[in-house]
Amino acid sequence: MGVLASAALLFPLLSAAPQAGAQVPEAGALQEQFARAATRHGVPESVLLAVSYLQSRWDAHGGAPSVTGGYGPMHLTDAVTALAGSAPHHSEEAEDARGDSSRAVRSGAGTPVPAAASLPARLRTLERASALSGIPAEELRTGTAANIEGGAALLAAAQREAGLPASTDPGDWYGAVARYSGADDSATASTYANDVFDVIRAGESRRTDSGQVVTLPAAPSVEPATEQVAALGLRRPAGGPVECPRSVACEWIPAPYEEFGDGDYGNHDKANRPDSQSIDYIVIHDTEATWDVTLKLVQDPTYVSWQYSLRSSDGHVAQHLRLKDVGWHAGNWFVNAKSVGLEHEGFLTAPDSWYTEAMYRTSARLVRYLAARYGIPLDRQHILGHDNVPGTVTSSIKGMHTDPGPYWDWAHYFRLLGRPITPSAGPRAEVVTIRPEYGANRPVYTGCVTAGEACAPHGSGAVRLHTAPSADAPLVKDIGLRPGGQDSTTGVNDTGARASTGQSFAVAERRGDWTAVWYLGQMAWFHNPVKAPTAVNARGLVLTPREGLASVPVYGRAYPEAAAYPAGVPVQAVSPLPYRLLAGQRYVVGGRTPGEYFFAPVFDSSGHKVVRGQEEYYQIQFGHRVAFVKAADVRVSPS
């Protein structure tokens, strides 16, 4: 997502508040709306429910569009209406997505968002649903019952066009479900349909954003007619050296490695990971661009790069770099050199921007595969949002990105990863892990559409941090973002007083319904009532300054000491951030790492070197972003 300074320029796409008059179903009516639409169009109710679950988890989002212009529980796409223009990810001219001072800043101006009329059919399904059902487009966008009718009409039409009867057996609708995905290749369509039928077989039940409980009973005996995909006339995905699990549809769309002269090149670096250095992180981004623009950007040799892009509508994956190579995506060279970047098609995290279940599921399968391959812990100090990556030096803190932001559902994501965030300690635990109830947790954010104006209410995985145990107390300060000492704000891009789901912090004090943790060198309070907790008690290693030290410096990268650099490799400054970790404070340890620097300032990779020193660091959850402290400066103990 865009940096703070330019956020106001990036909000237009798909961030509008729900339209006036948006329909909200009466209590208990949503399940019946699915049943009526299924009967009217001859679609098995389980198929309609499962398709809707994969698109939206049955949420209506108050009539507001998704990150790709999808409306309502059936995610009927109308990007022509939703699209108002946006600046692609990494398009700020002053940004250095590579994050290394050894060479010039590399960030392209980007490609403009295409004209709405040129968007593919998968982003215009609402207009076809209108033609099939006779329901006006505006009603399909804002009316829940109408939206479900439109989705049922699309499924029924796909079944008819395949020359198949309106069977009551859900398994006979596999091809229609695959067509509904909007995928243009057979592998992605099949993966999408497989996920839908996994939902049918396993069943689901949840309370939606309108407060209604919807249930899909499990039907484990359903056998989908998977051979139907062959008759859809879809292309085969592009071949190539993809590194993906078999459970996702993945194609090779390579990023260029090109030299321009005068020492300039793009858009990534050749490496030999993990033999040369370990891969320790996976960084979750959103693209701030449509799928087509995303692919153009990563294939631009003058732009930046990442390993994978994921499409919103169906979870399709494109791989751009070999995992052994280093992408330019995180804005921190230490993190880039030791991470894999996943860009999710989507736009600025504004209220009612949302991600499809199809993309969440595919992303989780890809992350599980990468974590198993490289031994990456499935926790929030290694599965990072771009908004958790620290600035490398003080001057870069303000420019760090804030995606995927407070509306990414980390709790759901970690359930899909097979690592649900659950308590691991008793009520007197010295560590807590943030985990509010996403739908019910609706802190006020501002600046989603207009600077200073409140965003529409929306579920969030983040909690706000105060200087005292009161909602009226000022928010804690972030001197890196505001060197003048001003208070943090409720801005949707302001991470200065925000703790996010899955992040663990050492408890400083408990007082009634409030819990204080150590955060950015200060005590920070958040509302954590017993009857509606926003954190779970946990255990883990914590660290504090070693005896005799009043404070220790905090770093945004773990670089080796000067003596470790061989001749010909310029010594990189071990530059502390403006924060201090004070005696008596404790922070949760995320791991121990040697000081390490990947020297790669030139195109010819034969001169690249990995510099490793004797100095070791601990990674900690210091604020909303992770940070590093020298192992020699601290004492570690179990909580």
Side-chain angles (χ1 to χ4, degrees), residues 110-133:
T111 302
V113 174
S118 68
L119 293 171
R122 66 183 178 81
L123 297 182
R124 303 198 310 273
T125 62
L126 189 141
E127 63 184 61
R128 184 155 192 264
S130 179
L132 288 168
S133 66

Side-chain angles (χ1 to χ4, degrees), residues 157 251 293 414 461 575:
E251 66 179 322
V293 170
F414 268 78
S575 178

Side-chain angles (χ1 to χ4, degrees), residues 501-521:
T501 292
Q503 294 178 333
S504 295
F505 298 90
V507 174
E509 187 177 341
R510 297 179 190 262
R511 195 181 304 176
D513 286 344
W514 289 79
T515 299
V517 296
W518 295 114
Y519 182 95
L520 293 179

Side-chain angles (χ1 to χ4, degrees), residues 433-457:
T433 299
I434 304 300
R435 195 203 64 184
E437 182 62 37
Y438 181 89
N441 180 53
R442 298 191 167 202
V444 173
Y445 292 103
T446 57
C448 292
V449 178
T450 304
E453 291 188 7
C455 304

Side-chain angles (χ1 to χ4, degrees), residues 166-251:
S167 171
T168 58
D169 181 354
D172 292 338
W173 288 75
Y174 186 89
V177 170
R179 177 68 77 187
Y180 194 96
S181 72
D184 61 355
D185 72 273
S186 57
T188 304
S190 295
T191 299
Y192 177 90
N194 290 341
D195 275 344
V196 167
F197 280 89
D198 283 347
V199 172
I200 290 173
R201 285 188 289 255
E204 285 288 352
S205 183
R206 73 180 292 265
R207 186 177 298 277
T208 72
D209 62 354
S210 62
Q212 308 218 9
V213 175
V214 176
T215 299
L216 170 59
S221 63
V222 169
E223 295 184 7
T226 56
E227 71 278 0
Q228 291 177 354
V229 169
L232 298 180
L234 301 175
R235 69 177 178 87
R236 294 174 62 87
V242 293
E243 298 162 286
C244 293
R246 292 182 179 180
S247 57
V248 308
C250 189
E251 66 179 322

Side-chain angles (χ1 to χ4, degrees), residues 109-401:
T111 302
V113 174
S118 68
L119 293 171
R122 66 183 178 81
L123 297 182
R124 303 198 310 273
T125 62
L126 189 141
E127 63 184 61
R128 184 155 192 264
S130 179
L132 288 168
S133 66
I135 301 173
E138 180 65 13
E139 192 174 346
L140 289 172
R141 281 192 291 269
T142 60
T144 302
N147 187 273
I148 295 170
E149 288 276 350
L154 286 174
L155 282 165
Q159 188 78 345
R160 288 194 305 272
E161 290 162 4
L164 298 171
S167 171
T168 58
D169 181 354
D172 292 338
W173 288 75
Y174 186 89
V177 170
R179 177 68 77 187
Y180 194 96
S181 72
D184 61 355
D185 72 273
S186 57
T188 304
S190 295
T191 299
Y192 177 90
N194 290 341
D195 275 344
V196 167
F197 280 89
D198 283 347
V199 172
I200 290 173
R201 285 188 289 255
E204 285 288 352
S205 183
R206 73 180 292 265
R207 186 177 298 277
T208 72
D209 62 354
S210 62
Q212 308 218 9
V213 175
V214 176
T215 299
L216 170 59
S221 63
V222 169
E223 295 184 7
T226 56
E227 71 278 0
Q228 291 177 354
V229 169
L232 298 180
L234 301 175
R235 69 177 178 87
R236 294 174 62 87
V242 293
E243 298 162 286
C244 293
R246 292 182 179 180
S247 57
V248 308
C250 189
E251 66 179 322
W252 178 248
I253 302 178
Y257 186 61
E258 187 173 326
E259 189 170 21
F260 311 125
D262 298 324
D264 193 13
Y265 68 97
N267 61 13
H268 60 279
D269 281 295
K270 297 293 185 182
N272 191 31
R273 307 183 306 173
D275 292 343
S276 58
Q277 53 187 153
S278 61
I279 298 176
D280 297 338
Y281 307 103
I282 298 169
V283 182
I284 304 299
H285 304 256
D286 74 54
T287 65
E288 295 301 325
T290 64
W291 180 253
D292 295 340
V293 170
T294 297
L295 297 186
K296 289 178 182 177
L297 293 175
V298 79
Q299 294 176 91
D300 180 351
T302 66
Y303 199 60
V304 293
S305 61
W306 47 91
Q307 277 77 14
Y308 299 95
S309 296
L310 291 93
R311 192 161 63 197
S312 176
S313 59
D314 52 23
H316 178 67
V317 178
Q319 183 175 354
H320 311 298
L321 302 178
R322 297 295 299 269
L323 290 170
K324 67 184 183 66
D325 295 331
V326 174
W328 303 350
H329 58 93
N332 181 315
W333 185 238
F334 179 82
V335 174
N336 275 339
K338 299 176 74 65
S339 72
V340 175
L342 276 62
E343 290 275 5
H344 296 75
E345 181 191 14
F347 292 85
L348 206 62
T349 48
D352 295 302
S353 287
W354 39 292
Y355 297 86
T356 66
E357 179 72 0
M359 186 161 69
Y360 270 130
R361 288 185 175 224
T362 298
S363 180
R365 285 196 290 264
L366 180 57
V367 168
R368 283 202 309 268
Y369 163 82
L370 294 169
R373 179 169 174 170
Y374 296 112
I376 301 171
L378 287 172
D379 61 42
R380 287 286 278 114
Q381 288 193 324
H382 296 88
I383 313 300
L384 302 174
H386 197 179
D387 54 351
N388 307 135
V389 176
T392 52
V393 294
T394 298
S395 61
S396 67
I397 293 174
K398 290 184 179 181
M400 298 305 291
H401 280 232

